[in-house]
Amino acid sequence: MARGLWGQAGPTIAVVLLLVAGCASDDAASVGVDDGSRESSLDPYTFADTVRIDAVTAHLTEFERIAAEHDGNRALATSGYDASVDYVAGSLRDAGFEVQTPEFDVSTFEVETETLDAGGRSLDVRALGFSPSTGPDGLTARPVRIPADETPGCEPADYDGIEGVAGSVVLVDRGSCTFAVKEQVAADRGAAALLVVNSEDAPLSDAGLAEDTDPRIPVGGLAAGEADAVAAAQTLTLVLDTTTERRSSRNVIAETTTGSPDDVVVVGAHLDSVPEGPGINDNGTGVASVLETALQLGAEPVVANKVRFAFWGAEEVGLVGSTRYVQGLSDDERDDIALYLNFDMLGSPNPGYLVFDGDDSDREGEGPGPDGSAGIERTFARFLGERGITVSGTDFDGRSDYGPFVAAGIPAGGVFSGADDVKSDEQAALWGGTAGETFDPNYHTAQDDTTNVDRAALAAAAASVGYGTAFYAQSVEGPDGVPVGDARVQARETFTE
């Protein structure tokens, strides 16, 4: 799971292991071949138990082996990622799927040093994403404050009457237009660098320039409370030592040959890890569960709706693989996707049992998902509830690959065991584990290996992947379904307005 973007075992967790792992049949459910009918013979409950925990953990062992043989990770543009693609694609091909591994370009951005000295006073500055570099030695120049107005730094006229802009470090307030527009206007007026003043008394975080706007001057962010001190300094020394590189990556895409192409169920998980570790919980668990679901379903099941399995590249650097995929769809192809199910971090060692809050009933963070997301939330909550697990909602905060689908108006949902948020007292009382600690204390570290996975939580989540996939492969209509036909087009137009 990308950044802003993630004790004791409780009794509920013990029940999960018995119910999910223990009751699985030794034989996979028969899903047959397409008979030309839109009717499905797939029972979601039976199918859920074919996604067995032992098979899922076997995939995790393979991902750990791959990382160990490739510098300890499976990150973007590494041999470990390529080996992960080969493993997933090869497994799917062996099961009869036609597999595509479309390539896409991605820009990566790294910051080595970010410092600001204002007349001998050291202040906190943050390089905006894709900011050009000052170089390791930085630059020294006088500050020039652009007065705030309704369009601060957004129009050339905002600089009218301001002396000394050429060669200076310009300060403009946040707001009204994108950071990229502010950079372009400042660069056109000859500024050496730009500092954007936040609207809050905290440095800008997780802010960036658009990678396709070709920024020309370094851009950093300041807290509101430090703007006056910076503007009053005789000179500034700014170091934003950054590196932007253009790389390529691949997604892995496979779909059933059966089922309606007008109501495609997309099931996805991100395949890459961070460079710091092997990425077994984040997100080997999601990949292993989706992969095993695909292998159990097979390429030619008797289903009403086509199922497309997607394993995304470059999620950890900004959801790039899934974003490129959605951007590359034609209008008709996008409308043919009925819904998207996302699975990212399913076995956190201090686990939560979370489903995406499709109806925004929790009233936290972002608003509701596209029309149909509430039904997806109910589907997963019902399945887990029937297995003795009470779930809580989690916000569509944009930190995983549902983001570009939601932005396109495609209903989405899934399950999640938690990342770097802290488990509350109430959550610990509900699910066990340790309050006051994060759901995954080894998030984005070298310790995210197979010992970093709660088997019972993963068993419950993997069964949920199977259930949700089969449920919507059978039908996307009904009280927990999604809009179809003309209603789908209208709902998405309304959501994206």
Side-chain angles (χ1 to χ4, degrees), residues 6-363:
W6 288 67
Q8 289 181 320
T12 300
I13 296 176
V15 170
V16 174
L17 184 56
L18 290 172
L19 288 175
V20 177
C23 66
S25 168
D26 289 336
D27 298 321
S30 173
V31 292
V33 295
D34 188 11
D35 61 2
S37 170
R38 286 290 305 278
E39 295 298 321
S40 172
S41 64
L42 189 64
D43 176 66
Y45 290 100
T46 301
F47 183 73
D49 288 329
T50 72
V51 186
R52 294 189 287 268
I53 185 62
D54 287 345
V56 172
T57 55
H59 296 309
L60 296 184
T61 300
E62 184 64 18
F63 289 129
E64 186 171 63
R65 182 196 64 78
I66 288 171
E69 294 179 357
H70 297 87
D71 300 317
N73 68 75
R74 303 180 299 102
L76 165 69
T78 65
S79 58
Y81 184 74
D82 288 339
S84 298
V85 169
D86 291 344
Y87 175 71
V88 171
S91 298
L92 291 166
R93 290 188 178 108
D94 289 346
F97 285 94
E98 182 177 338
V99 181
Q100 297 178 330
T101 58
E103 190 170 293
F104 57 89
D105 289 334
V106 54
S107 293
T108 62
F109 178 75
E110 296 182 359
V111 179
E112 182 67 27
T113 307
E114 45 189 3
T115 62
L116 176 64
D117 182 280
R121 180 182 175 188
S122 180
L123 300 174
D124 195 3
V125 66
R126 304 291 173 85
L128 269 64
F130 300 111
S131 166
S133 181
T134 63
D137 296 330
L139 61 85
T140 299
R142 65 185 294 266
V144 171
R145 185 74 159 98
I146 305 302
D149 62 9
E150 293 183 356
T151 59
C154 298
E155 300 175 356
D158 295 334
Y159 287 76
D160 289 350
I162 308 298
E163 297 182 357
V165 171
S168 71
V169 176
V170 169
L171 280 75
V172 300
D173 287 293
R174 182 178 192 173
S176 181
C177 64
T178 65
F179 300 123
V181 169
K182 295 177 190 291
E183 182 274 334
Q184 291 168 357
V185 173
D188 287 344
R189 299 305 292 257
L194 173 67
L195 294 175
V196 179
V197 180
N198 199 2
S199 55
E200 301 175 357
D201 196 20
L204 286 168
S205 61
D206 298 321
L209 308 168
E211 62 178 284
D212 58 355
T213 57
D214 297 323
R216 290 170 283 162
I217 60 175
V219 183
L222 286 178
E226 296 180 339
D228 290 343
V230 174
Q234 292 296 311
T235 60
L236 304 175
T237 299
L238 175 67
V239 181
L240 299 177
D241 188 10
T242 66
T243 302
T244 300
E245 294 183 0
R246 195 74 170 172
R247 300 179 179 179
S248 64
S249 188
R250 292 179 290 165
N251 293 325
V252 179
I253 309 291
E255 65 182 22
T256 60
T257 60
T258 51
S260 169
D262 299 327
D263 292 301
V264 179
V265 177
V266 181
V267 184
H270 78 84
L271 184 54
D272 60 321
S273 76
V274 293
E276 290 78 10
I280 299 305
N281 185 39
D282 183 16
N283 181 39
T285 53
V287 170
S289 300
V290 173
L291 177 59
E292 187 60 23
T293 295
L295 299 181
Q296 292 301 322
L297 187 63
E300 298 180 339
V302 178
V303 289
N305 303 310
K306 185 177 291 293
V307 181
R308 183 174 302 153
F309 296 99
F311 303 86
W312 309 116
E315 188 268 359
E316 294 289 4
V317 295
L319 319 182
V320 181
S322 56
T323 299
R324 293 284 190 271
Y325 175 82
V326 173
Q327 289 173 341
L329 297 171
S330 68
D331 290 345
D332 287 343
E333 289 170 335
R334 189 169 54 252
D335 289 341
D336 285 340
I337 295 177
L339 55 96
Y340 174 66
L341 304 180
N342 189 73
F343 301 102
D344 189 353
M345 300 184 67
L346 304 185
S348 298
N350 189 27
Y353 292 86
L354 303 162
V355 296
F356 288 105
D357 185 15
D359 59 0
D360 194 31
S361 56
D362 295 341
R363 301 292 189 268

